[in-house]
Structure formats: C-alpha cells, structure tokens
Amino acid sequence: MVQNNPSKNLFIRQSSGLVREVSPWSSSLATFGLVTGGVPILIIEWLFLSPGANLPLSFFISLLPTLLMASLFFIASVSMPRAGGDYVFNSRATNPMIGFVNYWGLWIAFALSLGIYSFYGAQWFAYLFAGLGIYFHNSFFLSLGNFFDGKIGEVSVGLVIVLFSSIIASLGKYHWKFITYGGLISIVTTIIMFIGLVTINPSSFASSLSSVSGVPNAYIKVIHDAESNGLTFFSPLSATLLALPVVWYYYAWYNLPASWSGEMKSVKKNVFYSIVFTIAMVGVYYAIFAYLNIHAFGQKFLTSWSYIDCNGISDPVYSSLQNIGPFTPFFALIVDHNVLLYIIMFIALWLPNFYSNPPLVVALTRYMFAWSFDRIMPEWMADVNERYHIPLKSTILVSIIGLAGVLMYAFIPAISTVDVTIVFQIGYAVFALSTALMPYVKRRVYENAVPFKRKLLGVPIISIVGFLTFWFLIYTLTLTWNNSFLLPINVSTIGSLVAIYGSGILIYYLAKLYTKRRIGIDMEMLFEEIPPE
C-alpha cells in the first residue's frame, strides 16, 4: 500500500525542505516562456519541412493530443506533488527502472537545450543589429551583427545567459517574480507585434523587398530560386499532416511545471493553469503567429526563404540580407519603417527564450533532487539552502552543464536542437503508456495515489487517454524517423540514443546494487512509496 509517511530510513530524510511559494500566475508565465521560447523563429525557419501546409490547422490538430497529454501530466502532478513530480509518478506507474531511464533521457535533452537556447540568445542579437545595419546602411550595426553571428559573440553571450539564468534561479521566490515580470512584458509586446503584422500584406512587402535588396522582382526571384533548386509544394492536406511532428515539438516542455509541483501553492489550481490552460493558450498564440506572418509576407515566399536559408541555396536576394535569416521583424521594418515596433517585435520573440532559462534550471535541479531522494543519485543533490530554499549544489552543477552545452553547440556541429526531438517523442510516449498501464500494473499505487478514477465502458479514463496519446506520438515518430533534416539515421544518431538510454540503465542498476549492499535498502520497496513533502 502506498503511504504518505514512509519508513524512517527509506528516503534520505523525512522532509524535502522545499517551500510552497510558487503562485499559479508565475508558474503559468514560466510555462509560456518554456514552451514558446525560441519557437516562433523556428516556425518560420522550418516552413520548408512541410511546404504548402495549413500551419494554423496543424497547430489545432496537434493541440488536441497535446491537451490529452497535458491532462496526464496534470494527474501526475496532483497525485504526487513533489519535486520532479512527473518523474516520481512515472517511476511508480509501472517499473522504476523504466521511469528513471525515461526521465534520464529527457533530462539530457533539457540540459542540452539549456545550452542551445542560450546560444540562440546571441544569434538573435545578430539578426537585430544586422537588420538595423541594412535598414540604415550603417556599418557599425552591421559589424555588431557580424560579431554576434560569429563564434566569439555567440559563445560570449551564451555563457553570460547561462550564468545569469543560474543566478536568477538561485534566488528562490525572487526568481518567480522575475518570471512574472518577464512574462507580462512578453505578452504585451506580443500583442503589439500582432497588431503590427495585421497592417502588412504581401504586395507591399514585395515592393519593399525589391527596394531594399536592389533586386528587381525580388519576391518572385526568391520563390523561383527555391523551386528551381528542389523545393516542391505538396497538397494542403498532405503538407498539413506532414507538419505534425514538427508542430508537436513546438508544444513540448509543458510538463516542466510538474517538476516544481512540490513548491506550488494551491496545487490543483496551479497545475491546471500552468499546464492545461497555458498550453491551450499557446496553441492559440502559435496559430495566430503563423497566420499573421503568412498573411503579411505570403506562404510561398516564407517557405522558399526558409528553404534557401537552411539548405545554403544561392540567391541574390538572400545574399543581400544574409545575416537576417528567418527574422520576420526585419521584413516588417522595411514595410512600415517603424524602428520602435521592430525592437518591440524583437523583444516579443527574444524575451521568452531568455526568461525561460531560469525555470529550466529549476526544473533540471528538481529532477536531480527527486533522484537523490530515491537514492539513485548522491544525497548532496537534495541539499537545500536554508536562506533561499533551493538545492544550491544541484543548481551549480546544472550551471556547469549549461556552460558546457554552449561550448558544445558552438564547436561540435553535429549537436543541434533537432537531435533531441526523438528523445522528447520517446519520453512523452513512454509516460503516456506508463500512465495507461498503471491501473493494471500498479493497481495499489493507482488506487491510493490517483484522485481521478472514473471509467468509460469499464476502462479507466486515464488509460484511454494514455493509449490514444501514445499512438499519436508513435505516428509522429514514424514521420520523424529517417527525416534527412530532423532525424537522419546514421551512426551518430543511433550511437547517441544508445549512449543516452544505456547510461541511464547502467546508473539505475549501479544505484540499486549500492543501495542494497551498502545501505541495506531494497529499491523495489522504495518505489512503492511516495517521497515525503
């Protein structure tokens, strides 16, 4: 039977030491930043992966299984509101080794992402200043753009962002105030950006593009050069379905609030708003963003531009604006000539990527905290600083890993953000399947811990939701597998997956052996219990 007060020596101590001080407002804004940070630019950059797709429709199609998955994370969080709550639930739903290895893979993906999105923080400064340089014909701004587009600029800013994020994450309740202010500014600037995009249409943009680039019929030239170099537009239905794996990835990360559920005020309300409600709002945000950009600049042009940008196609228009890439605020600037709006658009796109790094640090440390309580990792990972009520030692370790991630992305080209999409797909799929099987495999845990036990035709609803979500993720995985851009199947891809999951299995069994021989605790018994609050 699951107990809320486990035996004296089972866990490393009788209290987590963490304080419930996270409000629904700050948690929801953290989710908005974590999910959307960096994504709007990727939406434009990866349009060529599904040429001709009705992207707003793709977002709404993917939103349904995403909300179903979000409901599973909601159930996990309210069932076991602890540090690393979704891991705690996953490790007790079917098999503890599967739960740990699954979250070990997700943790690596999130940790690598801390490096890449900090790295991106510098790259987008390159877009900002290059755009100003081109617009004003100013060599100083152009040189700044070139600096931030180079290794020294990217690495320098990336390292500063990781350090800043780690410091903010170490400030306890003040960290959540930073999230609140950052989130509110992001929402306001996003609304202004949307209003600005409404006033633009493809014809006015085409005229401005020719004027700025110096290429007659520049708009048509971009589309022609992309198509003559292999870009093919599919039927809207086929392209819309083809977009689902990438669109699904844009929604990922909404599970992270579960990692700090042990510090939430009003857990049920907090988790509902920060996971379920916020991801629904993100779906609306993405659909509006995609629609307004297509409405302003034209789908064929943006898709062709993304194809040229990602595939190194020679095009005179792109060459004249080579440091801009998929940065649509510049496209708006050359039409409306409003520099203030240009900067506001930059803030709307860049700030979520920036302010979401501290809560990512928090999430990474809370999973380490939970592993420590489960005796898989060293006890010091769960040491809580008395002043700030955080696991400070774990935060320092995550900071070091983040700094290393920036350097890896800068100097090891084989590592990229798309390499971890499969880990997210596998991680969420395993969680969904584990939840679906829980009423049958771990019935006592299910009966004692899960507050939602309704059935439909005799089958637990969480099982129905889990199976449906699992099969959707398997479908998206089949579309992603061996995609030449998203997941090419080669030695490095297979090797990285073997290394990630193989190391997780090794760590788990070494911890199990150590705990049994040196401490005298059977980890199988430990995973029949819920960690203390």
Side-chain angles (χ1 to χ4, degrees), residues 189-250:
T189 54
T190 295
I191 293 172
I192 296 173
M193 175 177 67
F194 286 170
I195 294 173
L197 289 172
V198 168
T199 64
I200 302 171
N201 60 67
S203 60
S204 61
F205 169 65
S207 175
S208 299
L209 185 65
S210 293
S211 176
V212 171
S213 67
V215 179
N217 298 315
Y219 190 93
I220 301 300
K221 177 66 174 171
V222 168
I223 297 172
H224 174 268
D225 285 350
E227 291 182 331
S228 63
N229 282 277
L231 176 63
T232 302
F233 287 86
F234 300 106
S235 68
L237 178 59
S238 298
T240 299
L241 295 177
L242 186 63
L244 292 182
V246 175
V247 167
W248 177 88
Y249 174 71
Y250 297 151

Side-chain angles (χ1 to χ4, degrees), residues 89-110:
F89 186 88
N90 196 184
S91 61
R92 286 149 176 84
T94 53
N95 180 281
M97 187 271 288
I98 292 175
F100 170 72
V101 173
N102 188 43
Y103 268 79
W104 173 251
L106 284 170
W107 189 89
I108 290 175
F110 284 125

